[in-house]
Amino acid sequence: MPELPEVETLRRQLCQAVLGFRVVQSTVFDPKLEGISFRPGSRLRNIERHGKWLTMQFEDGSAYRIHLRMTGRLFLCRQISPPAHSRLMIELARGRQTVRLFLIDPRRFATVQMIGPGQIPPGTDAFPEICPENLHEAAVRRNVSVKSFLLDQKTIAGIGNIYACEILHAAKIDPLRKARQLSRREWRRVAECAPAILETAIDCRGTSVSDWRDLHGEKGEFQHRLKVYRREGAVCGRCGGRIGRIRQEGRSTFYCPGCQKSIK
DNA sequence: TCCCATGTTGCTAA
DNA sequence: GTTAGCAACATGGG
């Protein structure tokens, strides 16, 4: 479940910890990642994020794009022995300091690819701001629910199931509404609520509802601030109604039928 | 034991 | 072109 706030947390922590470090060696444990190798001696120049994608750029021009999908994690430590479900290890050093970056991923959906310069995935990043006019314009041609629309990375990149539910609740929008039916005013509410929620979640180092951990193995804190996600049956803090749960396109949606209605 | 659900995305087929 | 459904995989719960 790493979504934008979780990936941004990793980006910031990696910048803090290993920018300027050089690759000592790398080891692939999972045959699915066969062929991925990091050139020894290359220096980590920059780490960027676009949506849920993380890109590590080295001074020799090489760049690697990582997507954690469902259960992927990055774990930075000194230990040599790979933790359970390790798929890749990069040993990095600066001076006498040596650290190891593990890609851990029980379900093995995460992807790592070498990319050339300027290859940016589609979609406008949802952080730090969203243009409401762009949302409205992109939505008018879409016959999908607003929930599905927010999850579609080709329009707005970075929002997953947890934050889509939270954003729609904050913006008081019924997740069942069609994206094309939202007014400009409603899109403005989405464009205001989304970056605020994402920023708070980043400050909390993400949402640890199940197995999310940050770069150093610590839980995030945003799970304590969720208003609807996984709160089925609880009382809505805004209207006193009951949080409900429905299925949309095969995925759970949590929302408050009391205050997420079609009324503008 | 079996069946179902779980955060994501990309491919296939309607 | 758009959209629904499923596969990729492992784990935990009923």
Side-chain angles (χ1 to χ4, degrees):
Chain A
M1 48 142 204
E3 305 179 26
L4 187 152
E6 288 76 25
V7 180
E8 177 64 17
T9 296
L10 291 174
R11 189 194 70 79
R12 294 181 182 187
Q13 293 180 322
L14 281 169
C15 284
Q16 183 87 355
V18 292
L19 219 52
F21 278 50
R22 290 180 190 276
V23 174
V24 178
Q25 55 127 345
S26 63
T27 309
V28 168
F29 306 108
D30 181 350
K32 280 173 82 174
L33 297 182
E34 205 176 39
I36 300 288
S37 70
F38 293 75
R39 189 182 306 158
S42 50
R43 193 157 176 256
L44 189 55
R45 180 171 65 85
N46 197 17
I47 301 158
E48 290 182 349
R49 180 194 59 75
H50 180 90
K52 304 171 194 174
W53 295 92
L54 195 66
T55 305
M56 300 174 68
Q57 299 170 335
F58 292 88
E59 280 182 356
D60 63 4
S62 62
Y64 300 80
R65 183 189 287 159
I66 299 171
H67 196 299
L68 298 171
R69 304 279 184 130
M70 303 270 279
T71 51
R73 284 180 51 200
L74 293 179
F75 179 54
L76 189 73
C77 58
R78 296 219 167 114
Q79 72 191 53
I80 296 173
S81 57
H85 308 297
S86 291
R87 303 180 60 200
L88 173 71
M89 185 274 291
I90 310 165
E91 193 174 303
L92 297 157
R94 186 171 64 181
R96 303 207 157 186
Q97 194 185 359
T98 299
V99 291
R100 289 162 190 91
L101 180 64
F102 289 95
L103 170 62
I104 302 171
D105 183 16
R107 289 178 71 174
R108 299 168 63 212
F109 290 162
T111 55
V112 181
Q113 51 191 159
M114 271 196 84
I115 58 166
Q119 280 186 36
I120 298 172
T124 306
D125 196 75
F127 189 81
E129 57 187 12
I130 290 175
C131 171
E133 292 305 316
N134 287 355
L135 279 181
H136 183 263
E137 194 181 330
V140 289
R141 288 168 264 122
R142 302 296 303 276
N143 194 32
V144 294
S145 70
V146 59
K147 166 84 181 315
S148 293
F149 181 77
L150 288 181
L151 291 180
D152 181 357
Q153 305 296 301
K154 290 187 286 297
T155 314
I156 293 290
I159 297 171
N161 207 33
I162 297 173
Y163 298 107
C165 293
E166 293 298 312
I167 289 164
L168 289 173
H169 178 261
K172 299 185 188 177
I173 290 168
D174 182 346
L176 290 161
R177 304 252 321 274
K178 295 280 188 183
R180 65 197 311 168
Q181 292 169 338
L182 266 64
S183 65
R184 282 196 159 77
R185 182 175 180 166
E186 288 172 312
W187 282 122
R188 273 201 297 276
R189 288 213 303 271
V190 172
E192 279 170 25
C193 294
I197 287 174
L198 295 173
E199 179 165 34
T200 305
I202 293 167
D203 290 342
C204 290
R205 287 174 299 101
T207 304
S208 296
V209 284
S210 54
D211 50 9
W212 159 253
R213 297 294 183 277
D214 72 10
L215 186 65
H216 309 293
E218 303 289 325
K219 283 188 177 187
E221 299 291 342
F222 197 72
Q223 64 275 18
H224 305 304
R225 307 178 66 157
L226 295 171
K227 306 279 197 248
V228 288
Y229 185 77
R230 287 213 184 176
R231 300 196 65 235
E232 179 186 14
V235 171
C236 173
R238 187 166 55 199
C239 75
R242 289 246 177 249
I243 307 296
R245 174 181 187 158
I246 55 173
R247 272 193 103 64
Q248 290 184 282
E249 291 77 44
R251 328 190 40 188
S252 287
T253 297
F254 298 85
Y255 76 116
C256 175
C259 56
Q260 290 176 255
K261 291 181 179 172
S262 305
I263 315 157
K264 317 280 187 291

